[in-house]
Amino acid sequence: MNNDQQITLINALFTLKDKKTTQLSEQVNFSDCKRYLGEDGLFENEMNALFNKLPTPYIHQSQLTENNSFVTVQASIGSLLFTRDENGKAHAFHNVCRHRGTQLVDEESGCARRFRCPYHAWSYDNQGNLSSIPHGEQCFPSLDKTQLGLKEIPCIERYGFIWLHASSDLALDDFLQGAGADLQWLNMDDLEVFTSTKKVWRANWRIIADGGLETYHFRFAHKNTIAPFFHDNLSIVDFFGPHARMILPRSSLESLAKKPQDKWALREHSHLTYALMPMTTFLVQHNHVEWIQSTPLSPTETQITITTLYPAPKAPLTDSDFNMWKLNHAITVKTLDEDFEIAQSIQKGLKSGANESFIFGRSEGALHLLHQHIESKL
Ligand code: FES
Ligand SMILES: [Fe+2]
């Protein structure tokens, strides 16, 4: 994002603050509660049209730096095995043996040139080729090994991540519809994974998605964590196609009024949230990014991984720096858990029939747009 764009956004925030208001949609909207139940084939449609298909950044490059390293990830299409082969090329495979379907790799990460299935020891190299079958000539005399490599899914490396379901830069930028320029600006390839926290929440993914696109709840739901650092109910949301960017100014934004505009830096005085369709969120702070990857497991369960990406340290971290980052990650997790607890509470009440629809107020207009984008893809 260039300086002019940052100045425009900061001025827009000042204007809203002076008028004691926030970005408002034209009207109040209603969201049919059936959207959140995933019934009558809806959940399967959502998986096929969105999660199993759209480009998704499942791995940060710093998780797969070495040649012959690997990482496994749980996705909506099942367990995935990401490898970097001996030539440095990244691959993504279904983590499933081609003999009788056992999960091939159990470890979360490591280094390996070959993977051996625990059931009957069929072995694959890290380019996915089936390399050996015990008693192969005797037991499988006519089998063509070249046709039985691991099932590969296209992936590319861009903006610091390995994106599944993306086969070229062009296709990815097409999908990002302009958000790619912002991702470039974030320089996430200069960051590294500090740590991750993973948990399964008993809530439909759309309930969780709603919670990430408004600040109307901050003062109440986050009163014990981050609310004191932010303005009440003040944010700006822009869409790049189906992807949203929300700017949440910190209370310190006011200090910019005394500085010349060419010294204004948005990241120093606000949080930026990028919510990429279907459900990747980058919560951008001053010098680091919290990456929140959500994977629906069923209509009522969503796995959420919160990863702190921090500036790659030039030397081993001192104890105090390590503790500072650890605390930072813990505060993020605690704050987001407040959102996810509420999502679980909403899920519990869904089937009661008390609401046929939820109400999106004028400061929750982004939620209405989000669901319109989702519906358009189903
Ligand atoms: S299922 Fe993998 S070797 Fe048999
Ligand atoms: Fe929240």
Side-chain angles (χ1 to χ4, degrees):
M1 199 187 307
N2 64 34
N3 276 4
D4 287 349
Q5 290 170 308
Q6 294 183 52
I7 290 167
T8 303
L9 284 165
I10 291 169
N11 275 323
L13 287 165
F14 278 146
T15 304
L16 291 171
K17 194 177 95 37
D18 289 348
K19 290 186 179 163
K20 296 191 173 22
T21 185
T22 186
Q23 189 185 42
L24 295 172
S25 59
E26 296 243 310
Q27 60 186 50
V28 170
N29 289 292
F30 296 86
S31 184
D32 190 331
C33 286
K34 288 201 183 92
R35 283 176 174 168
Y36 306 91
L37 290 170
E39 291 177 345
D40 301 325
L42 175 61
F43 182 75
E44 288 73 20
N45 278 349
E46 291 169 342
M47 293 308 104
N48 291 334
L50 303 168
F51 289 87
N52 299 351
K53 183 169 161 192
L54 299 181
T56 306
Y58 273 111
I59 299 279
H60 187 259
Q61 284 174 338
S62 66
Q63 294 172 289
L64 202 71
T65 48
E66 305 290 322
N67 288 3
N68 301 315
S69 56
F70 71 87
V71 176
T72 58
V73 172
Q74 183 63 39
S76 51
I77 34 173
S79 178
L80 299 174
L81 169 65
F82 286 86
T83 67
R84 191 175 293 287
D85 69 23
E86 58 191 24
N87 304 314
K89 182 172 172 7
H91 302 265
F93 304 105
H94 286 282
N95 185 13
V96 173
C97 176
R98 299 299 308 279
H99 175 215
R100 279 170 49 202
T102 306
Q103 179 164 313
L104 185 64
V105 182
D106 280 331
E107 300 96 312
E108 284 196 354
S109 61
C111 276
R113 286 171 189 274
R114 296 216 184 294
F115 303 98
R116 194 165 77 159
C117 179
Y119 203 179
H120 314 92
W122 283 29
S123 294
Y124 304 84
D125 66 25
N126 56 16
Q127 297 180 331
N129 303 304
L130 175 58
S131 49
S132 74
I133 301 177
H135 307 293
E137 285 185 13
Q138 193 180 16
C139 301
F140 303 93
S142 57
L143 214 61
D144 180 0
K145 281 203 296 194
T146 64
Q147 299 302 308
L148 287 169
L150 295 175
K151 271 276 158 72
E152 188 156 5
I153 308 162
C155 70
I156 61 163
E157 301 193 56
R158 189 95 195 261
Y159 306 124
F161 292 86
I162 300 174
W163 299 74
L164 195 74
H165 305 304
S167 50
S168 70
D169 286 355
L170 215 59
L172 180 59
D173 279 330
D174 205 28
F175 165 71
L176 289 171
Q177 299 196 42
D182 276 37
L183 298 185
Q184 189 77 53
W185 168 67
L186 296 175
N187 283 331
M188 289 190 282
D189 37 8
D190 286 344
L191 302 179
E192 272 183 15
V193 168
F194 174 70
T195 192
S196 285
T197 301
K198 185 164 63 181
K199 189 168 171 183
V200 176
W201 294 89
R202 292 184 308 281
N204 182 271
W205 69 276
R206 290 213 213 186
I207 300 176
I208 292 169
D210 281 355
L213 278 182
E214 47 92 356
T215 54
Y216 179 44
H217 69 281
F218 263 43
R219 192 169 141 213
F220 314 103
H222 299 307
K223 62 180 182 297
N224 297 323
T225 48
I226 54 164
F229 304 106
F230 290 88
H231 286 279
D232 178 30
N233 196 29
L234 173 58
S235 59
I236 292 178
V237 188
D238 292 301
F239 275 83
F240 304 85
H243 316 294
R245 178 187 67 198
M246 180 164 66
I247 317 279
L248 307 89
R250 296 170 69 99
S251 313
S252 65
L253 186 83
E254 282 156 52
S255 66
L256 287 182
K258 299 190 196 94
K259 279 193 183 174
Q261 292 198 356
D262 60 350
K263 296 274 184 300
W264 287 5
L266 192 58
R267 279 182 76 166
E268 286 175 20
H269 298 283
S270 58
H271 285 191
L272 287 82
T273 297
Y274 289 87
L276 304 185
M277 177 79 70
M279 230 187 147
T280 300
T281 301
F282 298 121
L283 177 54
V284 177
Q285 304 185 34
H286 173 39
N287 66 344
H288 72 284
V289 173
E290 304 290 349
W291 165 34
I292 304 143
Q293 192 64 51
S294 302
T295 303
L297 303 179
S298 76
T300 56
E301 290 171 303
T302 305
Q303 173 187 282
I304 300 184
T305 307
I306 303 168
T307 302
T308 295
L309 298 168
Y310 74 139
K314 299 201 171 37
L317 284 182
T318 61
D319 283 354
S320 85
D321 281 349
F322 178 82
N323 288 332
M324 187 268 291
W325 284 110
K326 200 170 144 187
L327 185 65
N328 216 309
H329 179 76
I331 291 169
T332 303
V333 170
K334 188 172 178 206
T335 305
L336 291 169
D337 282 2
E338 290 171 340
D339 291 300
F340 306 146
E341 297 281 0
I342 286 176
Q344 291 195 146
S345 152
I346 295 170
Q347 182 74 48
K348 274 190 205 154
L350 259 185
K351 285 211 166 180
S352 67
N355 292 304
E356 280 179 16
S357 53
F358 294 147
I359 310 164
F360 294 152
R362 292 180 64 206
S363 61
E364 298 166 299
L367 282 63
H368 177 62
L369 290 176
L370 171 75
H371 288 280
Q372 282 190 323
H373 285 299
I374 294 170
E375 309 301 334
S376 74
K377 298 211 178 290
L378 296 181

